[in-house]
Amino acid sequence: MQEILVVGFVSPLHKDRIPRPSGLNHIISSADDIGRVAVVGNPILVAVVLSGGTSALIRDFVNHWGLNRVLLVSYPGNNSLASLLDAKSAILDLGVRNVGVIHVDGLERLGTAIRLARASARLLRSRVAVIGLSTKTSIIRNFEERFEARVDLIPMEEFEELINGVTDDEAGRFANELMGRALFNVPTNDLLKVGRVYVAMRGLHGPYDAIAINCFPFLIRNRITPCLALAKLNEEGLISACEGDLRALTVMLISRELTGYSGWIANVNDVVGKSITMSHCTIALNMVEEPRVVTHFESGYNYGLTGKIKFREVTAASVSSDFRRMVAFKALVSSSGLLRGDACRTQGVLQVDFEGYELLNEAPYNHHVVIPGNVIQDLRAVASLLGMEFKALAKAEVTT
């Protein structure tokens, strides 16, 4: 995870008139202050524009320390927003391209900006494990390059050895909790096996920011799925993606920082008018009500998870294979659960304000991560910090 530096910028005229908000590491009010700040490495700069007349200070600070990721923060008073816009232009003129912006209601909301920076920082210099691959794909290499990250491959045989080392007592605690929380529509005879998968993956998480498992080869070899294990791990904040998917994992890490939830990896199944249907066989347990355990859709093996999505307002986001583009849209969940038999088990019908067919043309790929709440502007800022092009799908404005 990359370091974050939070600096307030204020003009000499306002220096003694604006209260210092909590959360700042330093305040800069003159050119002499710039060199006095101890900047280690190349942190993400959260530049809080406390007043007007600070755009040159911000530009010179970025240039002096050679920073390449800047989040500019403004609020309604003291010409803060006006100076933010000038500072953004000046930083872009320096050749810095990873520049995000956020406008908050007041300086007491500075925590919102820091959360956005943390969402970006979680990916930068991250360490990730992928279970069940023997060679790095182009997507893995792109992930490592774009985010200065490290991806370790864990062979399936090595992971299975970890599973075999899990005791019945360890697996039984997982099984007992699941039986106490979810309705089982299928026999529980395989639940200890899945508990071993959960314990093995949980143990792997120690040195890693997130884990992805190449689950289809796993379920074919073992005749059980890791879906329930992933549902529990993601509830616990231990980001775990299925299908070895680092693109979805990217958005899940962001979602966790923005909302406290991992988000839901979902397939796109249908588009009709302004309705988009999505589904998947796992979802974080804290994102559903009335959870039910059923069979996995494609294989028929134990287990898949279904439930009613807790959230009415959501945002869905997807990133490209080169991690240079993010597409997102806000939606309302009109119905969810096990709505039909020919799709993955947790299903959601999302109502949007644009023609759903547009998603077919704009989506970077299939998997989207569905995030609680409307976080479009937050995602826009995070994408900018990460050097991604961002597009929000929305109703086209009619001009005359």
Side-chain angles (χ1 to χ4, degrees), residues 330-378:
K330 62 180 181 179
L332 297 176
V333 179
S334 59
S335 58
S336 62
L338 185 53
L339 307 175
R340 51 192 293 175
D342 61 348
C344 296
R345 301 318 193 189
T346 294
Q347 299 155 18
V349 179
L350 277 56
Q351 304 300 323
V352 297
D353 63 358
F354 58 92
E355 288 300 320
Y357 213 85
E358 186 180 349
L359 185 65
L360 277 64
N361 297 318
E362 296 292 347
Y365 83 127
N366 166 42
H367 278 167
H368 287 63
V369 175
V370 178
I371 303 169
N374 178 359
V375 294
I376 286 289
Q377 296 308 323
D378 291 349

Side-chain angles (χ1 to χ4, degrees), residues 302-335:
N302 291 333
Y303 297 98
L305 180 66
T306 187
K308 295 182 179 179
I309 297 170
K310 283 184 176 180
F311 309 96
R312 169 71 167 158
E313 186 175 39
V314 295
T315 303
S318 180
V319 300
S320 60
S321 299
D322 61 3
F323 300 94
R324 293 181 181 276
R325 185 168 185 260
M326 179 185 292
V327 174
F329 60 89
K330 62 180 181 179
L332 297 176
V333 179
S334 59
S335 58

Side-chain angles (χ1 to χ4, degrees), residues 19 30 37 42 85 97 120 123 144 172 197 217 223 280 384-385:
S30 70
V37 175
N42 193 1
L85 293 172
R97 290 291 171 259
S120 306
L123 281 158
E144 289 182 315
V197 175
R223 301 181 70 83
H280 217 58
S384 296
L385 280 175

Side-chain angles (χ1 to χ4, degrees), residues 60-71:
D60 292 346
F61 187 92
V62 170
N63 190 46
H64 178 85
W65 291 108
L67 304 178
N68 59 15
R69 298 184 194 274
V70 182
L71 178 63

